mmCIF file of all heavy atoms in Angstrom:
data_model
loop_
_atom_site.group_PDB
_atom_site.id
_atom_site.type_symbol
_atom_site.label_atom_id
_atom_site.label_comp_id
_atom_site.label_asym_id
_atom_site.label_seq_id
_atom_site.Cartn_x
_atom_site.Cartn_y
_atom_site.Cartn_z
ATOM 1 N N ILE A 167 93.392 -11.459 122.610
ATOM 2 C CA ILE A 167 92.527 -12.623 122.442
ATOM 3 C C ILE A 167 93.373 -13.884 122.550
ATOM 4 O O ILE A 167 94.602 -13.835 122.609
ATOM 5 C CB ILE A 167 91.792 -12.590 121.079
ATOM 6 C CG1 ILE A 167 92.815 -12.473 119.934
ATOM 7 C CG2 ILE A 167 90.795 -11.441 121.029
ATOM 8 C CD1 ILE A 167 92.210 -12.508 118.551
ATOM 9 N N LEU A 168 92.710 -15.026 122.554
ATOM 10 C CA LEU A 168 93.398 -16.309 122.687
ATOM 11 C C LEU A 168 93.899 -16.815 121.339
ATOM 12 O O LEU A 168 93.282 -16.578 120.300
ATOM 13 C CB LEU A 168 92.445 -17.342 123.287
ATOM 14 C CG LEU A 168 91.915 -17.036 124.697
ATOM 15 C CD1 LEU A 168 90.835 -18.038 125.079
ATOM 16 C CD2 LEU A 168 93.038 -17.056 125.717
ATOM 17 N N HIS A 169 95.018 -17.536 121.390
ATOM 18 C CA HIS A 169 95.542 -18.220 120.217
ATOM 19 C C HIS A 169 95.977 -19.624 120.616
ATOM 20 O O HIS A 169 96.268 -19.896 121.787
ATOM 21 C CB HIS A 169 96.733 -17.469 119.611
ATOM 22 C CG HIS A 169 96.364 -16.207 118.907
ATOM 23 N ND1 HIS A 169 95.588 -16.168 117.782
ATOM 24 C CD2 HIS A 169 96.676 -14.911 119.182
ATOM 25 C CE1 HIS A 169 95.425 -14.919 117.371
ATOM 26 N NE2 HIS A 169 96.065 -14.129 118.213
ATOM 27 N N ASN A 170 96.027 -20.512 119.634
ATOM 28 C CA ASN A 170 96.529 -21.873 119.828
ATOM 29 C C ASN A 170 97.406 -22.227 118.629
ATOM 30 O O ASN A 170 96.931 -22.692 117.598
ATOM 31 C CB ASN A 170 95.366 -22.854 119.955
ATOM 32 C CG ASN A 170 95.803 -24.286 120.244
ATOM 33 O OD1 ASN A 170 94.974 -25.157 120.445
ATOM 34 N ND2 ASN A 170 97.099 -24.558 120.262
ATOM 35 N N VAL A 171 98.701 -21.985 118.762
ATOM 36 C CA VAL A 171 99.638 -22.212 117.667
ATOM 37 C C VAL A 171 100.007 -23.695 117.611
ATOM 38 O O VAL A 171 100.315 -24.299 118.643
ATOM 39 C CB VAL A 171 100.897 -21.348 117.854
ATOM 40 C CG1 VAL A 171 101.848 -21.534 116.676
ATOM 41 C CG2 VAL A 171 100.514 -19.882 117.995
ATOM 42 N N PHE A 172 100.003 -24.254 116.376
ATOM 43 C CA PHE A 172 100.332 -25.672 116.237
ATOM 44 C C PHE A 172 100.878 -25.948 114.841
ATOM 45 O O PHE A 172 100.791 -25.118 113.929
ATOM 46 C CB PHE A 172 99.086 -26.536 116.482
ATOM 47 C CG PHE A 172 98.124 -26.581 115.324
ATOM 48 C CD1 PHE A 172 98.151 -27.625 114.403
ATOM 49 C CD2 PHE A 172 97.191 -25.565 115.129
ATOM 50 C CE1 PHE A 172 97.275 -27.659 113.324
ATOM 51 C CE2 PHE A 172 96.311 -25.591 114.056
ATOM 52 C CZ PHE A 172 96.354 -26.645 113.151
ATOM 53 N N SER A 173 101.439 -27.152 114.683
ATOM 54 C CA SER A 173 101.870 -27.639 113.377
ATOM 55 C C SER A 173 101.806 -29.157 113.386
ATOM 56 O O SER A 173 102.081 -29.787 114.415
ATOM 57 C CB SER A 173 103.290 -27.192 113.053
ATOM 58 O OG SER A 173 103.722 -27.746 111.813
ATOM 59 N N VAL A 174 101.453 -29.708 112.243
ATOM 60 C CA VAL A 174 101.449 -31.162 112.097
ATOM 61 C C VAL A 174 102.512 -31.602 111.090
ATOM 62 O O VAL A 174 102.494 -32.727 110.613
ATOM 63 C CB VAL A 174 100.055 -31.678 111.659
ATOM 64 C CG1 VAL A 174 99.031 -31.440 112.755
ATOM 65 C CG2 VAL A 174 99.617 -31.015 110.347
ATOM 66 N N SER A 175 103.469 -30.735 110.797
ATOM 67 C CA SER A 175 104.534 -31.059 109.846
ATOM 68 C C SER A 175 105.398 -32.190 110.404
ATOM 69 O O SER A 175 105.843 -32.132 111.560
ATOM 70 C CB SER A 175 105.391 -29.821 109.570
ATOM 71 O OG SER A 175 104.619 -28.797 108.969
ATOM 72 N N PRO A 176 105.662 -33.218 109.595
ATOM 73 C CA PRO A 176 106.445 -34.377 110.075
ATOM 74 C C PRO A 176 107.824 -33.964 110.596
ATOM 75 O O PRO A 176 108.525 -33.166 109.990
ATOM 76 C CB PRO A 176 106.574 -35.253 108.815
ATOM 77 C CG PRO A 176 105.417 -34.850 107.955
ATOM 78 C CD PRO A 176 105.210 -33.391 108.207
ATOM 79 N N GLY A 177 108.186 -34.507 111.742
ATOM 80 C CA GLY A 177 109.488 -34.249 112.341
ATOM 81 C C GLY A 177 109.545 -33.017 113.218
ATOM 82 O O GLY A 177 110.420 -32.907 114.079
ATOM 83 N N ASN A 178 108.634 -32.086 113.010
ATOM 84 C CA ASN A 178 108.644 -30.842 113.793
ATOM 85 C C ASN A 178 107.244 -30.450 114.266
ATOM 86 O O ASN A 178 106.964 -29.268 114.445
ATOM 87 C CB ASN A 178 109.230 -29.700 112.952
ATOM 88 C CG ASN A 178 110.730 -29.821 112.755
ATOM 89 O OD1 ASN A 178 111.495 -29.908 113.714
ATOM 90 N ND2 ASN A 178 111.170 -29.855 111.504
ATOM 91 N N SER A 179 106.376 -31.425 114.456
ATOM 92 C CA SER A 179 105.016 -31.126 114.899
ATOM 93 C C SER A 179 105.020 -30.647 116.347
ATOM 94 O O SER A 179 105.872 -31.031 117.151
ATOM 95 C CB SER A 179 104.123 -32.361 114.753
ATOM 96 O OG SER A 179 104.616 -33.418 115.549
ATOM 97 N N PHE A 180 104.050 -29.795 116.681
ATOM 98 C CA PHE A 180 103.931 -29.290 118.055
ATOM 99 C C PHE A 180 102.538 -28.703 118.252
ATOM 100 O O PHE A 180 101.823 -28.410 117.286
ATOM 101 C CB PHE A 180 104.995 -28.231 118.354
ATOM 102 C CG PHE A 180 104.857 -26.968 117.542
ATOM 103 C CD1 PHE A 180 104.162 -25.861 118.035
ATOM 104 C CD2 PHE A 180 105.428 -26.869 116.278
ATOM 105 C CE1 PHE A 180 104.029 -24.700 117.289
ATOM 106 C CE2 PHE A 180 105.310 -25.709 115.520
ATOM 107 C CZ PHE A 180 104.616 -24.624 116.028
ATOM 108 N N ASP A 181 102.165 -28.541 119.503
ATOM 109 C CA ASP A 181 100.887 -27.933 119.873
ATOM 110 C C ASP A 181 101.118 -27.140 121.156
ATOM 111 O O ASP A 181 101.406 -27.711 122.207
ATOM 112 C CB ASP A 181 99.828 -29.014 120.083
ATOM 113 C CG ASP A 181 98.481 -28.444 120.499
ATOM 114 O OD1 ASP A 181 98.312 -27.200 120.497
ATOM 115 O OD2 ASP A 181 97.580 -29.246 120.830
ATOM 116 N N LEU A 182 101.018 -25.818 121.085
ATOM 117 C CA LEU A 182 101.284 -24.960 122.240
ATOM 118 C C LEU A 182 100.065 -24.752 123.128
ATOM 119 O O LEU A 182 100.180 -24.137 124.179
ATOM 120 C CB LEU A 182 101.811 -23.600 121.759
ATOM 121 C CG LEU A 182 103.089 -23.644 120.911
ATOM 122 C CD1 LEU A 182 103.528 -22.220 120.573
ATOM 123 C CD2 LEU A 182 104.208 -24.387 121.628
ATOM 124 N N GLY A 183 98.894 -25.258 122.710
ATOM 125 C CA GLY A 183 97.698 -25.073 123.513
ATOM 126 C C GLY A 183 97.188 -23.639 123.452
ATOM 127 O O GLY A 183 97.819 -22.751 122.870
ATOM 128 N N ILE A 184 96.069 -23.400 124.064
ATOM 129 C CA ILE A 184 95.482 -22.056 124.075
ATOM 130 C C ILE A 184 96.183 -21.198 125.122
ATOM 131 O O ILE A 184 96.348 -21.620 126.275
ATOM 132 C CB ILE A 184 93.967 -22.124 124.364
ATOM 133 C CG1 ILE A 184 93.243 -22.819 123.193
ATOM 134 C CG2 ILE A 184 93.383 -20.744 124.599
ATOM 135 C CD1 ILE A 184 91.762 -22.994 123.403
ATOM 136 N N TYR A 185 96.603 -19.984 124.735
ATOM 137 C CA TYR A 185 97.283 -19.113 125.694
ATOM 138 C C TYR A 185 97.023 -17.642 125.364
ATOM 139 O O TYR A 185 96.704 -17.278 124.238
ATOM 140 C CB TYR A 185 98.778 -19.412 125.748
ATOM 141 C CG TYR A 185 99.549 -19.201 124.467
ATOM 142 C CD1 TYR A 185 100.306 -18.041 124.263
ATOM 143 C CD2 TYR A 185 99.536 -20.164 123.462
ATOM 144 C CE1 TYR A 185 101.031 -17.854 123.096
ATOM 145 C CE2 TYR A 185 100.264 -19.988 122.298
ATOM 146 C CZ TYR A 185 101.004 -18.832 122.117
ATOM 147 O OH TYR A 185 101.707 -18.655 120.956
ATOM 148 N N ARG A 186 97.206 -16.821 126.393
ATOM 149 C CA ARG A 186 96.958 -15.386 126.287
ATOM 150 C C ARG A 186 98.284 -14.630 126.216
ATOM 151 O O ARG A 186 99.336 -15.223 126.038
ATOM 152 C CB ARG A 186 96.179 -14.891 127.526
ATOM 153 C CG ARG A 186 94.888 -15.628 127.803
ATOM 154 C CD ARG A 186 94.251 -15.138 129.097
ATOM 155 N NE ARG A 186 93.044 -15.883 129.417
ATOM 156 C CZ ARG A 186 91.835 -15.541 128.984
ATOM 157 N NH1 ARG A 186 91.697 -14.456 128.231
ATOM 158 N NH2 ARG A 186 90.782 -16.273 129.312
ATOM 159 N N VAL A 187 98.198 -13.311 126.387
ATOM 160 C CA VAL A 187 99.394 -12.490 126.518
ATOM 161 C C VAL A 187 100.138 -12.922 127.783
ATOM 162 O O VAL A 187 99.526 -13.191 128.818
ATOM 163 C CB VAL A 187 99.028 -10.997 126.597
ATOM 164 C CG1 VAL A 187 100.272 -10.151 126.847
ATOM 165 C CG2 VAL A 187 98.346 -10.549 125.304
ATOM 166 N N GLY A 188 101.449 -12.979 127.710
ATOM 167 C CA GLY A 188 102.241 -13.396 128.862
ATOM 168 C C GLY A 188 103.555 -13.973 128.400
ATOM 169 O O GLY A 188 103.998 -13.728 127.273
ATOM 170 N N PRO A 189 104.203 -14.750 129.251
ATOM 171 C CA PRO A 189 105.467 -15.372 128.855
ATOM 172 C C PRO A 189 105.273 -16.206 127.591
ATOM 173 O O PRO A 189 104.315 -16.980 127.499
ATOM 174 C CB PRO A 189 105.822 -16.255 130.064
ATOM 175 C CG PRO A 189 105.114 -15.618 131.209
ATOM 176 C CD PRO A 189 103.841 -15.058 130.650
ATOM 177 N N PRO A 190 106.156 -16.067 126.595
ATOM 178 C CA PRO A 190 105.939 -16.765 125.319
ATOM 179 C C PRO A 190 106.175 -18.266 125.418
ATOM 180 O O PRO A 190 107.015 -18.731 126.177
ATOM 181 C CB PRO A 190 106.959 -16.110 124.390
ATOM 182 C CG PRO A 190 108.052 -15.637 125.294
ATOM 183 C CD PRO A 190 107.369 -15.222 126.568
ATOM 184 N N LYS A 191 105.379 -19.005 124.673
ATOM 185 C CA LYS A 191 105.614 -20.437 124.507
ATOM 186 C C LYS A 191 106.845 -20.623 123.618
ATOM 187 O O LYS A 191 107.201 -19.747 122.836
ATOM 188 C CB LYS A 191 104.401 -21.099 123.883
ATOM 189 C CG LYS A 191 103.100 -20.887 124.648
ATOM 190 C CD LYS A 191 102.972 -21.864 125.786
ATOM 191 C CE LYS A 191 101.597 -21.753 126.438
ATOM 192 N NZ LYS A 191 101.347 -22.827 127.416
ATOM 193 N N GLU A 192 107.491 -21.793 123.710
ATOM 194 C CA GLU A 192 108.740 -22.006 122.971
ATOM 195 C C GLU A 192 108.824 -23.434 122.452
ATOM 196 O O GLU A 192 108.315 -24.373 123.061
ATOM 197 C CB GLU A 192 109.933 -21.709 123.883
ATOM 198 C CG GLU A 192 111.284 -21.787 123.185
ATOM 199 C CD GLU A 192 112.424 -21.397 124.110
ATOM 200 O OE1 GLU A 192 112.539 -20.205 124.443
ATOM 201 O OE2 GLU A 192 113.196 -22.296 124.510
ATOM 202 N N LYS A 193 109.485 -23.581 121.285
ATOM 203 C CA LYS A 193 109.689 -24.892 120.673
ATOM 204 C C LYS A 193 111.070 -24.929 120.042
ATOM 205 O O LYS A 193 111.495 -23.971 119.392
ATOM 206 C CB LYS A 193 108.600 -25.128 119.620
ATOM 207 C CG LYS A 193 108.887 -26.209 118.602
ATOM 208 C CD LYS A 193 108.820 -27.604 119.191
ATOM 209 C CE LYS A 193 109.049 -28.667 118.089
ATOM 210 N NZ LYS A 193 109.105 -30.027 118.641
ATOM 211 N N ARG A 194 111.794 -26.032 120.209
ATOM 212 C CA ARG A 194 113.085 -26.236 119.556
ATOM 213 C C ARG A 194 112.874 -27.128 118.327
ATOM 214 O O ARG A 194 112.200 -28.157 118.407
ATOM 215 C CB ARG A 194 114.096 -26.884 120.502
ATOM 216 C CG ARG A 194 115.501 -26.999 119.893
ATOM 217 C CD ARG A 194 116.459 -27.714 120.825
ATOM 218 N NE ARG A 194 116.685 -26.979 122.057
ATOM 219 C CZ ARG A 194 117.610 -26.028 122.201
ATOM 220 N NH1 ARG A 194 118.384 -25.702 121.178
ATOM 221 N NH2 ARG A 194 117.756 -25.412 123.356
ATOM 222 N N PHE A 195 113.490 -26.739 117.196
ATOM 223 C CA PHE A 195 113.304 -27.463 115.948
ATOM 224 C C PHE A 195 114.585 -28.223 115.607
ATOM 225 O O PHE A 195 115.606 -27.629 115.279
ATOM 226 C CB PHE A 195 112.912 -26.496 114.836
ATOM 227 C CG PHE A 195 111.548 -25.880 115.061
ATOM 228 C CD1 PHE A 195 111.423 -24.686 115.753
ATOM 229 C CD2 PHE A 195 110.408 -26.517 114.614
ATOM 230 C CE1 PHE A 195 110.174 -24.133 115.986
ATOM 231 C CE2 PHE A 195 109.153 -25.981 114.839
ATOM 232 C CZ PHE A 195 109.034 -24.785 115.525
ATOM 233 N N GLU A 196 114.504 -29.554 115.685
ATOM 234 C CA GLU A 196 115.675 -30.421 115.572
ATOM 235 C C GLU A 196 115.868 -31.024 114.187
ATOM 236 O O GLU A 196 116.922 -31.601 113.907
ATOM 237 C CB GLU A 196 115.569 -31.569 116.593
ATOM 238 C CG GLU A 196 115.414 -31.117 118.040
ATOM 239 C CD GLU A 196 116.719 -30.599 118.639
ATOM 240 O OE1 GLU A 196 117.724 -30.549 117.905
ATOM 241 O OE2 GLU A 196 116.730 -30.269 119.826
ATOM 242 N N HIS A 197 114.877 -30.912 113.304
ATOM 243 C CA HIS A 197 114.953 -31.592 112.021
ATOM 244 C C HIS A 197 114.760 -30.593 110.877
ATOM 245 O O HIS A 197 113.852 -29.758 110.916
ATOM 246 C CB HIS A 197 113.892 -32.691 111.935
ATOM 247 C CG HIS A 197 113.955 -33.680 113.062
ATOM 248 N ND1 HIS A 197 114.909 -34.668 113.135
ATOM 249 C CD2 HIS A 197 113.188 -33.808 114.180
ATOM 250 C CE1 HIS A 197 114.727 -35.384 114.233
ATOM 251 N NE2 HIS A 197 113.685 -34.880 114.893
ATOM 252 N N PRO A 198 115.607 -30.658 109.831
ATOM 253 C CA PRO A 198 115.447 -29.744 108.707
ATOM 254 C C PRO A 198 114.149 -30.013 107.942
ATOM 255 O O PRO A 198 113.689 -31.155 107.859
ATOM 256 C CB PRO A 198 116.679 -30.041 107.842
ATOM 257 C CG PRO A 198 117.105 -31.411 108.222
ATOM 258 C CD PRO A 198 116.750 -31.580 109.655
ATOM 259 N N GLY A 199 113.586 -28.948 107.394
ATOM 260 C CA GLY A 199 112.361 -29.093 106.623
ATOM 261 C C GLY A 199 111.469 -27.876 106.763
ATOM 262 O O GLY A 199 111.771 -26.925 107.491
ATOM 263 N N VAL A 200 110.342 -27.917 106.050
ATOM 264 C CA VAL A 200 109.356 -26.831 106.078
ATOM 265 C C VAL A 200 108.323 -27.127 107.151
ATOM 266 O O VAL A 200 107.734 -28.213 107.186
ATOM 267 C CB VAL A 200 108.675 -26.673 104.711
ATOM 268 C CG1 VAL A 200 107.634 -25.558 104.756
ATOM 269 C CG2 VAL A 200 109.704 -26.387 103.621
ATOM 270 N N VAL A 201 108.114 -26.168 108.046
ATOM 271 C CA VAL A 201 107.128 -26.312 109.111
ATOM 272 C C VAL A 201 105.980 -25.343 108.833
ATOM 273 O O VAL A 201 106.166 -24.125 108.870
ATOM 274 C CB VAL A 201 107.744 -26.018 110.497
ATOM 275 C CG1 VAL A 201 106.714 -26.270 111.593
ATOM 276 C CG2 VAL A 201 108.993 -26.862 110.721
ATOM 277 N N ARG A 202 104.822 -25.885 108.521
ATOM 278 C CA ARG A 202 103.634 -25.044 108.310
ATOM 279 C C ARG A 202 102.982 -24.800 109.673
ATOM 280 O O ARG A 202 102.624 -25.731 110.387
ATOM 281 C CB ARG A 202 102.646 -25.710 107.359
ATOM 282 C CG ARG A 202 103.223 -25.948 105.973
ATOM 283 C CD ARG A 202 102.139 -26.077 104.922
ATOM 284 N NE ARG A 202 101.121 -27.062 105.239
ATOM 285 C CZ ARG A 202 100.002 -27.246 104.534
ATOM 286 N NH1 ARG A 202 99.766 -26.491 103.466
ATOM 287 N NH2 ARG A 202 99.123 -28.165 104.868
ATOM 288 N N VAL A 203 102.834 -23.536 110.014
ATOM 289 C CA VAL A 203 102.333 -23.146 111.333
ATOM 290 C C VAL A 203 100.943 -22.546 111.182
ATOM 291 O O VAL A 203 100.711 -21.665 110.341
ATOM 292 C CB VAL A 203 103.282 -22.128 111.997
ATOM 293 C CG1 VAL A 203 102.784 -21.766 113.393
ATOM 294 C CG2 VAL A 203 104.703 -22.687 112.058
ATOM 295 N N PHE A 204 100.004 -23.008 112.022
ATOM 296 C CA PHE A 204 98.627 -22.511 111.992
ATOM 297 C C PHE A 204 98.170 -22.161 113.399
ATOM 298 O O PHE A 204 98.857 -22.445 114.389
ATOM 299 C CB PHE A 204 97.686 -23.575 111.408
ATOM 300 C CG PHE A 204 98.043 -24.027 110.025
ATOM 301 C CD1 PHE A 204 98.560 -25.297 109.808
ATOM 302 C CD2 PHE A 204 97.863 -23.196 108.931
ATOM 303 C CE1 PHE A 204 98.887 -25.733 108.531
ATOM 304 C CE2 PHE A 204 98.184 -23.611 107.653
ATOM 305 C CZ PHE A 204 98.697 -24.873 107.451
ATOM 306 N N CYS A 205 96.991 -21.560 113.472
ATOM 307 C CA CYS A 205 96.317 -21.323 114.751
ATOM 308 C C CYS A 205 95.044 -22.163 114.756
ATOM 309 O O CYS A 205 94.272 -22.136 113.789
ATOM 310 C CB CYS A 205 95.977 -19.845 114.919
ATOM 311 S SG CYS A 205 95.039 -19.490 116.443
ATOM 312 N N ASN A 206 94.835 -22.885 115.824
ATOM 313 C CA ASN A 206 93.656 -23.754 115.909
ATOM 314 C C ASN A 206 92.374 -22.964 116.139
ATOM 315 O O ASN A 206 91.272 -23.513 116.038
ATOM 316 C CB ASN A 206 93.841 -24.781 117.026
ATOM 317 C CG ASN A 206 92.927 -25.975 116.871
ATOM 318 O OD1 ASN A 206 92.930 -26.618 115.815
ATOM 319 N ND2 ASN A 206 92.140 -26.282 117.894
ATOM 320 N N VAL A 207 92.512 -21.669 116.447
ATOM 321 C CA VAL A 207 91.344 -20.816 116.684
ATOM 322 C C VAL A 207 90.979 -20.030 115.428
ATOM 323 O O VAL A 207 89.806 -19.849 115.116
ATOM 324 C CB VAL A 207 91.606 -19.852 117.862
ATOM 325 C CG1 VAL A 207 90.385 -18.994 118.135
ATOM 326 C CG2 VAL A 207 92.008 -20.627 119.111
ATOM 327 N N HIS A 208 92.000 -19.574 114.698
ATOM 328 C CA HIS A 208 91.782 -18.696 113.545
ATOM 329 C C HIS A 208 92.337 -19.357 112.290
ATOM 330 O O HIS A 208 93.552 -19.434 112.100
ATOM 331 C CB HIS A 208 92.434 -17.336 113.793
ATOM 332 C CG HIS A 208 92.046 -16.726 115.102
ATOM 333 N ND1 HIS A 208 92.875 -16.757 116.213
ATOM 334 C CD2 HIS A 208 90.910 -16.085 115.477
ATOM 335 C CE1 HIS A 208 92.273 -16.149 117.220
ATOM 336 N NE2 HIS A 208 91.084 -15.736 116.807
ATOM 337 N N GLN A 209 91.458 -19.798 111.422
ATOM 338 C CA GLN A 209 91.841 -20.568 110.241
ATOM 339 C C GLN A 209 92.719 -19.778 109.272
ATOM 340 O O GLN A 209 93.573 -20.351 108.591
ATOM 341 C CB GLN A 209 90.584 -21.049 109.506
ATOM 342 C CG GLN A 209 90.873 -21.957 108.321
ATOM 343 C CD GLN A 209 89.614 -22.416 107.631
ATOM 344 O OE1 GLN A 209 88.526 -21.912 107.903
ATOM 345 N NE2 GLN A 209 89.733 -23.397 106.744
ATOM 346 N N ALA A 210 92.535 -18.478 109.191
ATOM 347 C CA ALA A 210 93.254 -17.660 108.210
ATOM 348 C C ALA A 210 94.706 -17.396 108.608
ATOM 349 O O ALA A 210 95.467 -16.839 107.808
ATOM 350 C CB ALA A 210 92.536 -16.333 108.002
#
Side-chain angles (χ1 to χ4, degrees):
I167 56 177
L168 298 172
H169 288 296
N170 183 176
V171 183
F172 77 96
S173 176
V174 294
S175 297
N178 288 304
S179 61
F180 65 94
D181 179 7
L182 302 183
I184 293 177
Y185 62 100
R186 305 176 183 271
V187 175
K191 304 277 187 171
E192 185 176 289
K193 162 71 177 175
R194 185 183 296 273
F195 293 91
E196 303 285 3
H197 305 284
V200 179
V201 184
R202 298 203 307 173
V203 182
F204 302 109
C205 176
N206 200 55
V207 182
H208 309 101
Q209 185 180 11

